[in-house]
Amino acid sequence: MVRTSTGETPYMLVYGTEAVIPVEVEIPSLRVIQEAKLSDAKWIRSRYEQLELIDGKRMNALCHGQLYQNRMSRAFNKRVKPRQFAPKQPLLKKIFPHQDEAKGKFSPN
């Protein structure tokens, strides 16, 4: 990192704090522990609380995703018209006008 004549990095000048890389947050360096002014026991307790919050957030996200899927399937199923077909029942196949010019895999059978 580039340092100015006063010994501060450009990041420090802009944001008022020193940059911390994610690895230092996961595995605390001496600098991180000194800046936070935490003892090892306090840091371990705060880290454990953060990990517990992550599990709660994951459960909330999972529940939200399931609720969203249920809403979407209900909205889709409202428009579906159930039809019953018997074996060997004659069926009509409709070719739409815009399919006349279709070629390749989009052409009608």
Side-chain angles (χ1 to χ4, degrees), residues 36-77:
K37 296 179 181 167
L38 295 174
S39 67
D40 287 340
K42 286 182 182 177
W43 183 86
I44 291 170
R45 190 176 324 119
S46 68
R47 183 73 177 139
Y48 183 73
E49 289 170 359
Q50 289 173 356
L51 291 174
E52 285 181 344
L53 289 176
I54 289 174
D55 289 338
K57 289 179 181 180
R58 283 183 185 153
M59 288 302 294
N60 286 341
L62 181 67
C63 292
H64 179 73
Q66 289 175 345
L67 289 173
Y68 177 75
Q69 285 180 348
N70 289 340
R71 280 197 309 265
M72 293 302 291
S73 65
R74 270 188 269 131
F76 176 79
N77 290 336

Side-chain angles (χ1 to χ4, degrees), residues 81-86 89 91:
K81 297 177 184 176
R83 295 181 180 161
Q84 298 294 326
F85 297 104
Q89 176 183 354
L91 301 175

